[in-house]
């Protein structure tokens, strides 16, 4: 397999059941998924379909009950919490719906922290932070606290934090779910910009506008992949092996 088509992520037979009050809820039911370098994949589906649980499994935030996951060809079955924390600094950037910024750290410190934890020298971490904040239109906000920013600004800070270590894979969990229409358009524009530069992105969203920015859309329903199609000039083309339970529409 050439470097340009190398797998960044591969999942086989992922299963996750949530246990709480009432009957167990089977959130993910035997999911197989491959994401190659440079792809922009959107996972769509109704609330409660299991989309976010799947993304959390892919990022090591939750552990599957069954199945295996590979990062850059390396099986993660033996990873513990400490190893996953290292991998999320090195190889996986994650953006959440509610930003998850550290409220008592400045914008600059929020962005630099993952780099410093990964062992990047302070001067280089500062340079990376300055470059990202400038590109994301956040000059002059370095000393601001998260609570002083708008929702759209906080999500841009969260995006800078996720990208500061140049991870091969960016996972985005409903990144516009807390934003208005303007903020949604901004997130869509930024994700598209980084994708054009070669960033591999896996996006979970219920928003068709965001999904339309991807070049591959997976429909997720009742814990399973119902359809998997590549968008070729806006027209969906079903990938081999997709079940076709749901019909993709533009």
């Amino acid at each position: 397999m050439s470097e340009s088509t190398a797998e960044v992520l591969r999942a086989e037979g992922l299963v996750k059941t949530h246990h709480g009050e009432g009957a167990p809820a089977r959130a993910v039911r035997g999911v197989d998924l491959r994401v190659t370098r440079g792809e922009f994949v959107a996972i769509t589906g109704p609330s409660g379909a299991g989309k976010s649980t799947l993304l959390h499994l892919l990022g090591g935030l939750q552990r599957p009950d069954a199945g295996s996951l590979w990062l850059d060809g390396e099986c993660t079955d033996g990873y513990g919490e400490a190893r996953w924390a290292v991998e999320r600094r090195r190889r996986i950037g994650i953006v959440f719906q509610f930003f998850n910024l550290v409220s008592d750290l400045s914008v600059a410190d929020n962005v630099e922290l993952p780099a410093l934890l990964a062992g990047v020298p302070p001067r280089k971490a500062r340079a990376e932070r300055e470059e990202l904040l400038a590109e994301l239109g956040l000059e002059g906000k370095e000393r601001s606290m998260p609570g002083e920013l708008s929702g759209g600004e906080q999500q841009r800070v969260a995006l800078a934090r996720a990208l500061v270590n140049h991870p091969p894979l960016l996972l985005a969990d409903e990144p516009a779910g807390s934003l208005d229409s303007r903020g949604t358009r901004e997130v869509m524009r930024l994700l598209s910009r980084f994708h054009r530069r070669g960033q591999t992105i896996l996006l979970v969203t219920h928003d068709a506008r965001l999904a339309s920015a991807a070049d591959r859309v997976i429909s997720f329903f009742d814990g399973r992949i119902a359809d998997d199609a590549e968008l070729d000039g806006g027209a969906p083309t079903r990938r081999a092996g997709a079940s076709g339970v749901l019909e993709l529409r533009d």
Side-chain angles (χ1 to χ4, degrees), residues 143-182:
R143 306 323 310 174
S144 298
M145 305 301 284
E148 299 170 346
L149 305 179
S150 69
E153 288 171 334
Q154 289 189 66
Q155 194 58 290
R156 279 183 276 157
V157 174
L159 183 58
R161 179 185 61 183
L163 293 172
V164 70
N165 286 330
H166 304 282
L169 176 64
L170 176 67
L171 302 179
D173 187 9
E174 297 283 8
S178 301
L179 305 179
D180 58 16
S181 294
R182 179 180 178 182

Side-chain angles (χ1 to χ4, degrees), residues 106-113 115 122-136 138 141-143 160-161 164:
S106 68
V107 165
D109 289 341
N110 264 284
V111 177
E112 288 182 30
L113 183 60
R123 181 175 295 180
K124 187 174 190 305
R126 189 179 312 117
E128 294 284 358
R129 177 260 296 171
E130 289 174 350
E131 181 177 345
L132 277 167
L133 290 183
E135 176 160 17
L136 295 172
L138 291 165
K141 300 289 186 180
E142 292 86 354
R143 306 323 310 174
R161 179 185 61 183
V164 70

Side-chain angles (χ1 to χ4, degrees), residues 29-51:
R29 305 174 182 234
V31 168
D32 298 330
L33 176 65
R34 298 187 181 196
V35 178
T36 57
R37 192 176 312 281
E39 275 196 297
F40 186 169
V41 181
I43 299 177
T44 67
S47 296
K51 306 184 303 296

Side-chain angles (χ1 to χ4, degrees), residues 17 54 74 86 122 146 229 238:
T17 300
L54 176 60
E74 181 177 338
V86 170
R238 183 163 296 133

